[in-house]
Amino acid sequence: MKTKTIIVVGNGMVSHKFCEKIRKKDKKSRIVVFGEEPIRAYDRVHLTNYFSSSLEDLFLSGQQWYDENRIELHLNDPVIAINRDSKSVVSQKGLVLEYDFLVLATGSTPFVPSIPGVDKKGVFLYRTIQDLDLIKEYAAQARKGAVIGGGLLGLEAAKALVDLGIEASTVIEFAPRLMPRQVDESASRTLQTKLNNLGLTCLLQKSTSQVLGDDRITGLSFSDNTQIDVDILVISAGIKPRDELATACGLNTGPRGGIIVDKTMRTSDPVVLAIGECALSNDMIYGLVAPGYEMAEVAACTICSEKKSFNGFDMSTKLKLMGVDVASFGDPFIAEPYARTILLEDTNKGIYKRLNISADGNRLLGGILVGEASSYNMLLQTVNNQLPIPPDPEVLLLGEKTAGKSAGLGLESLPDSALICSCEGVTKAQICNAVTHQDCENFDSVSRCTKAGTGCAGCVPMVKDLIAYTMKQQGKYIRTTICEHFNYSRQELYDLVKIHQLKSYDDVLDSVGKGDGCETCKPLVASILASLWNEMILGRGNDVAQDSNDRFLANIQRGGTYSVVPRVPGGEIHPDKLIVIGQVAKKYGLYTKITGGQRIDLFGAHLNDLPAIWEELIAAGFESGHAYGKALRTVKSCVGSTWCRFGLHDSVSFAIQIEERYRGLRAPHKLKSAVSGCVRECAEAQSKDFGIIATEKGWNLYVCGNGGSKPQHALLLANDIDSATCIKYIDRFLMFYIRTADPLTRTATWLNKMEGGIDYLRNVVVNDSLGMAETWEKEMQELVDAYECEWKVAVRDPNIRKRFVHFVNAPQEKDDTVRFERLRGQKKAADWNTLVTH
């Protein structure tokens, strides 16, 4: 019996997925793939990551995968002709092969508007690795960039320009809003504000009339007679399906392009199928990878005589554009009289949320999320599975604020058939089965087993929640290990380091770890060592394990300079110290700024000036402010009873006492505190990790609040307590947090995940339900007694001072790539992206 031959034209993500699917179903057929690019199939969804990683990270598989699956791969050799009569294809290199089935996965090409001058040097498309290589090479001589297209790909291209260090980037969109297919006008406005704050200019309702310049681009002019200066232009204004091969061989195509297919992905020729962005299904071209993967599955079933059809696809999407969450799901635009709309718009935080509820108020129909989209996965599942919604559906926007809610809240209501990973078609049942019957108890193992989360990765949070939920249902202990080098959770490793009295990263790795370590475990172990022993973080060879900021005891800033942040306990400072700060700032040309935490930041320091700067500050009585560390930052205070007529107690003195007690304390994340002298709360104590407010009877202690992108008020732990009791409770609280929190987890998140919430925490800290109070107080006192200013040690130790040089062979020379500019009368370091060599 003759072996069946399946030829695949195209070697993109959808083609690769088809090869996976068909080989699982058909072990015998000959599979031949023709690709026009010279490299294997790669991840176009995360194309922008190419600038920060490597091509190897983008490849979907190695050559070995093709060999193991007996897939013949012809790279750099596109098919140039199809003969349907002889059922054969001709490649550019002259290969002629006959097929039993032909799968067209030719994808799409970028739509290029017919703008005069679009062929000038400096104008690029944004589609392939080759495009990115050309953009990267040209960007080195460009300072101002622009992107034509404000859709998904356009904003990705804009991010690419920013990543390449283009000084000023502009997005040009013909429509009246950004991402017109995904978000409404209000959401677009919120997104635009966010992007503006990140340095991106957005020009809407702009029609480009000409690319200016002689042989290379110098600017753009528009139909409204305005123009802008541009050194580099990227066009990302949509796509056109690649159907030229299909048209040439007589297959039916749509009036605006695309190879017409039925629900089984067959074209007008039953042995020729089309999948991905070249396929026109029910008058629709799908430009996302998930529907392309579904088409690949359907095509594989069709060839293997299995019944499966493509009936359209949910175009819900969630992505992060330049760090900004953007998501739309279900029907994002449906409105009265067909739906009721609930809106939440916070212009202060840059958050916009819209939910569309059915007219009877019983079902969620769709929505839009900008600025904060953590609830996306559950909202999408609510739409897709027609789950009932709460009587007060606004809680879906506001979120559950009750501490102690389990990670799996709401997952039990999902049917087993709920599609969790749309890219790979993985259901809730498949994920739960991997946990219960295949011993997969972490995301990596579930992902390997089911492929969930290997596409766009938008489903990863829900997959992790499902794993935890399923394990909890089985009564299993949910254990999160650090990395491949330490088979322990952070808490377990903390205990082991303490028990074995380990004092350096190498000791920890040799005693309880394996291998050489990685960038995940190094800073984590360094944090544990600092939390346990409070020794100089650069001692015992631990400098190699530190994050870059801890490594130089300073935050590296834009332009390649460093910040100097002396501690100012409680915000109180003597005039003599103010004078010293001013003298140091003038001597070393530093930019000065008073922060919201009542400190004075000095910016623009050269690396090799840091020891000299700190030597002068230390001589004046200053200490490190630990702005660079996961440690206590500040204890903010109002003036309290010292000056304020409303003040009940001396908040300044208490704030100084608190700050001097916990200075240098290392923790899983940064810590902030405040002391307010009355309930008017001028120090904003309830937005801090621990905050103290004066009452007529003493102090109220609040814990686990934070500001930032997800602000949360602190909760009352104890009320009307005296100063000594307050400090005792803080000791216990901080040690409990340090012992049990996961890496990079703020106290607010720690409490939110804690079973029993604030009531349990109060029982542990105030009532000593674990019997650990005395131990924790003793451990805290040991850390307090061991404290020594890191910069004081650094400037006195010649070996440590040696590391603060730009060039080992010329230690006195400064980095001549650092440039400065003037800003409101001060010298400011120019951003990295303005440092272009011509």
Side-chain angles (χ1 to χ4, degrees):
M1 182 177 177
K2 180 190 169 206
T3 302
K4 186 167 58 181
T5 298
I6 302 168
I7 294 179
V8 185
V9 182
N11 187 39
M13 296 180 73
V14 174
S15 165
H16 188 273
K17 180 58 60 181
F18 171 78
C19 291
E20 283 184 2
K21 298 292 185 181
I22 192 66
R23 186 48 90 206
K24 284 183 180 179
K25 298 174 182 295
D26 182 346
K27 305 295 185 184
K28 297 180 179 178
S29 291
R30 180 188 182 192
I31 301 174
V32 185
V33 178
F34 288 91
E36 66 180 351
E37 290 189 69
I39 54 178
R40 302 188 305 276
Y42 55 87
D43 183 356
R44 294 186 194 273
V45 174
H46 300 100
L47 196 59
T48 308
N49 293 351
Y50 178 58
F51 293 128
S52 57
S53 57
S54 68
L55 182 56
E56 283 297 323
D57 294 327
L58 290 178
F59 280 136
L60 298 177
S61 61
Q63 181 60 48
Q64 182 182 1
W65 179 85
Y66 291 93
D67 298 337
E68 290 172 350
N69 287 281
R70 293 177 290 108
I71 296 172
E72 300 172 34
L73 179 61
H74 297 274
L75 296 176
N76 207 21
D77 189 18
V79 168
I80 59 173
I82 300 170
N83 188 324
R84 289 168 52 208
D85 293 330
S86 63
K87 295 174 65 175
S88 64
V89 300
V90 181
S91 79
Q92 189 177 69
K93 294 181 179 178
L95 270 174
V96 179
L97 288 179
E98 294 183 355
Y99 61 82
D100 294 287
F101 285 97
L102 178 65
V103 179
L104 301 178
T106 47
S108 63
T109 56
F111 168 71
V112 181
S114 55
I115 303 169
V118 78
D119 55 348
K120 287 182 169 58
K121 292 180 181 177
V123 180
F124 300 93
L125 301 177
Y126 187 80
R127 186 67 179 167
T128 67
I129 289 291
Q130 185 180 15
D131 292 334
L132 267 62
D133 283 332
L134 294 172
I135 292 170
K136 185 176 182 180
E137 181 181 0
Y138 198 87
Q141 55 185 321
R143 298 184 64 185
K144 295 183 178 181
V147 174
I148 294 180
L152 291 175
L153 287 177
L155 294 179
E156 280 292 323
K159 180 183 185 300
L161 292 183
V162 171
D163 289 344
L164 287 171
I166 302 299
E167 174 186 347
S169 294
T170 302
V171 173
I172 301 155
E173 171 57 45
F174 181 75
R177 65 178 188 264
L178 297 173
M179 296 181 65
R181 294 187 178 183
Q182 286 82 25
V183 302
D184 60 18
E185 185 175 344
S186 296
S188 173
R189 188 166 55 245
T190 300
L191 175 60
Q192 184 177 347
T193 300
K194 282 269 195 180
L195 297 179
N196 288 344
N197 292 338
L198 293 170
L200 199 66
T201 301
C202 301
L203 301 179
L204 305 179
Q205 289 184 290
K206 282 283 188 181
S207 176
T208 306
S209 59
Q210 188 174 358
V211 177
L212 304 176
D214 294 328
D215 62 330
R216 63 179 60 226
I217 183 173
T218 59
L220 295 173
S221 65
F222 304 104
S223 57
D224 59 4
N225 296 321
T226 60
Q227 64 182 49
I228 60 173
D229 294 333
V230 172
D231 301 318
I232 183 171
L233 173 67
V234 177
I235 296 176
S236 186
I239 59 172
K240 294 190 304 179
R242 295 192 62 176
D243 57 10
E244 58 270 24
L245 277 174
T247 301
C249 71
L251 294 173
N252 292 345
T253 57
R256 290 186 295 175
I259 308 167
I260 296 174
V261 295
D262 63 15
K263 291 184 178 182
T264 66
M265 308 319 297
R266 283 189 170 97
T267 67
S268 52
D269 184 331
V271 297
V272 181
L273 296 84
I275 57 177
E277 292 175 344
C278 68
L280 182 66
S281 174
N282 197 26
D283 296 324
M284 176 100 174
I285 295 289
Y286 290 89
L288 297 177
V289 70
Y293 280 2
E294 177 72 5
M295 290 179 180
E297 169 78 14
V298 172
C301 289
T302 298
I303 291 174
C304 294
S305 301
E306 297 178 10
K307 287 188 177 181
K308 188 175 177 66
S309 60
F310 183 82
N311 300 306
F313 202 86
D314 177 24
M315 294 296 283
S316 301
T317 184
K318 175 180 178 289
L319 62 159
K320 191 177 284 287
L321 297 168
M322 298 181 70
V324 181
D325 282 335
V326 181
S328 65
F329 54 94
D331 189 337
F333 302 120
I334 190 171
E336 296 281 358
Y338 308 104
R340 304 173 186 175
T341 300
I342 302 174
L343 297 175
L344 185 154
E345 188 167 10
D346 187 338
T347 56
N348 178 48
K349 297 172 184 172
I351 293 174
Y352 174 85
K353 298 184 179 184
R354 169 178 172 169
L355 292 185
N356 302 322
I357 308 296
S358 61
D360 61 10
N362 293 327
R363 291 286 182 267
L364 179 63
L365 303 179
I368 298 168
L369 306 170
V370 175
E372 201 286 309
S374 59
S375 57
Y376 166 78
N377 280 311
M378 199 62 219
L379 291 173
L380 175 61
Q381 293 298 332
T382 302
V383 172
N384 290 347
N385 296 286
Q386 299 185 0
L387 301 179
I389 60 176
D392 301 314
E394 61 271 15
V395 302
L396 295 173
L397 283 183
L398 299 173
E400 293 282 357
K401 290 294 185 182
T402 306
K405 295 287 185 182
S406 67
L409 184 68
L411 295 177
E412 66 276 4
S413 63
L414 292 180
D416 287 344
S417 59
L419 192 64
I420 304 300
C421 176
S422 58
C423 291
E424 295 291 339
V426 184
T427 64
K428 173 187 174 182
Q430 290 172 291
I431 293 170
C432 294
N433 179 71
V435 177
T436 55
H437 296 108
Q438 301 183 56
D439 296 325
C440 299
E441 296 188 349
N442 56 51
F443 173 75
D444 288 340
S445 58
V446 169
S447 181
R448 282 194 297 269
C449 179
T450 66
K451 304 208 77 174
T454 58
C456 72
C459 66
V460 170
M462 179 161 274
V463 173
K464 290 181 177 179
D465 283 347
L466 262 176
I467 295 168
Y469 165 75
T470 307
M471 290 178 66
K472 191 172 182 179
Q473 292 294 102
Q474 293 181 288
K476 290 185 177 180
Y477 169 58
I478 301 170
R479 183 168 174 265
T480 304
T481 58
I482 294 168
C483 69
E484 61 186 286
H485 304 107
F486 291 98
N487 192 29
Y488 303 103
S489 67
R490 181 190 181 277
Q491 186 174 349
E492 291 168 337
L493 187 59
Y494 182 102
D495 292 334
L496 286 170
V497 172
K498 182 179 180 181
I499 290 168
H500 294 292
Q501 295 283 300
L502 304 174
K503 297 293 182 75
S504 73
Y505 175 76
D506 287 340
D507 290 342
V508 177
L509 190 63
D510 292 342
S511 300
V512 296
K514 60 183 179 181
D516 299 320
C518 64
E519 295 310 307
T520 297
C521 63
K522 286 180 180 178
L524 186 148
V525 172
S527 172
I528 290 175
L529 292 171
S531 296
L532 271 172
W533 316 121
N534 208 5
E535 293 183 344
M536 171 60 176
I537 61 171
L538 301 183
R540 298 182 186 266
N542 287 326
D543 53 316
V544 297
Q546 302 293 343
D547 283 325
S548 57
N549 288 340
D550 277 320
R551 203 168 293 172
F552 298 111
L553 304 179
N555 284 331
I556 186 169
Q557 305 289 351
R558 287 176 174 243
T561 60
Y562 294 79
S563 64
V564 173
V565 187
R567 187 172 295 283
V568 181
E572 183 179 84
I573 188 167
H574 192 279
D576 288 343
K577 285 190 173 182
L578 280 174
I579 292 170
V580 169
I581 287 180
Q583 290 171 337
V584 168
K586 290 181 70 174
K587 180 176 179 180
Y588 294 95
L590 307 178
Y591 176 100
T592 58
K593 167 78 170 64
I594 296 176
T595 73
Q598 297 178 332
R599 298 188 298 194
I600 300 174
D601 286 3
L602 308 173
F603 297 100
H606 285 275
L607 180 64
N608 49 358
D609 280 340
L610 288 175
I613 291 170
W614 274 105
E615 204 161 27
E616 295 190 35
L617 292 174
I618 287 167
F622 286 104
E623 291 183 333
S624 169
H626 288 91
Y628 48 82
K630 299 295 184 283
L632 180 73
R633 298 292 176 85
T634 61
V635 181
K636 190 176 181 179
S637 75
C638 63
V639 296
S641 60
T642 308
W643 293 101
C644 179
R645 58 197 171 98
F646 299 111
L648 296 175
H649 301 307
D650 185 356
S651 57
V652 179
S653 295
F654 199 34
I656 292 172
Q657 182 183 356
I658 294 292
E659 185 158 353
E660 290 183 342
R661 178 170 183 79
Y662 303 114
R663 60 191 171 183
L665 178 68
R666 298 283 173 152
H669 213 303
K670 62 186 175 186
L671 294 165
K672 294 184 178 181
S673 180
V675 182
S676 287
C678 72
V679 293
R680 287 171 176 78
E681 258 281 69
C682 291
E684 302 166 323
Q686 290 182 80
S687 65
K688 302 296 188 286
D689 295 283
F690 61 99
I692 304 161
I693 301 176
T695 70
E696 291 184 355
K697 298 180 182 179
W699 304 99
N700 282 354
L701 175 60
Y702 294 81
V703 295
C704 299
N706 67 253
S709 61
K710 295 183 179 178
Q712 181 171 317
H713 267 97
L715 301 177
L716 182 65
L717 184 73
N719 62 301
D720 297 330
I721 53 179
D722 59 35
S723 299
T725 303
C726 186
I727 289 175
K728 184 164 60 176
Y729 288 169
I730 296 172
D731 283 355
R732 299 175 186 177
F733 162 70
L734 289 176
M735 290 308 301
F736 186 33
Y737 166 63
I738 289 170
R739 286 287 298 269
T740 61
D742 288 330
L744 300 179
T745 300
R746 290 293 297 269
T747 56
T749 306
W750 172 67
L751 179 62
N752 292 342
K753 294 180 178 180
M754 187 181 293
E755 288 289 339
I758 188 63
D759 294 328
Y760 174 75
L761 181 60
R762 185 182 297 110
N763 207 25
V764 170
V765 172
V766 177
N767 301 327
D768 191 21
S769 61
L770 299 181
M772 291 294 295
E774 185 177 345
T775 300
W776 287 339
E777 290 168 24
K778 179 183 176 184
E779 289 178 346
M780 179 61 77
Q781 192 58 50
E782 289 173 352
L783 293 176
V784 171
D785 294 339
Y787 168 77
E788 190 171 11
C789 171
E790 290 161 353
W791 265 114
K792 189 177 291 185
V793 175
V795 298
R796 292 174 180 172
D797 189 327
N799 290 323
I800 294 179
R801 287 189 75 141
K802 286 179 182 178
R803 67 183 300 106
F804 293 93
V805 294
H806 284 295
F807 310 105
V808 175
N809 295 329
Q812 303 306 315
E813 290 187 19
K814 296 181 180 179
D815 185 354
D816 60 6
T817 65
V818 175
R819 296 285 185 269
F820 294 92
E821 56 194 23
R822 304 297 294 180
L823 179 65
R824 292 184 292 276
Q826 294 199 70
K827 189 172 76 170
K828 170 189 171 293
D831 294 346
W832 277 314
N833 54 18
T834 67
L835 308 178
V836 181
T837 303
H838 294 281

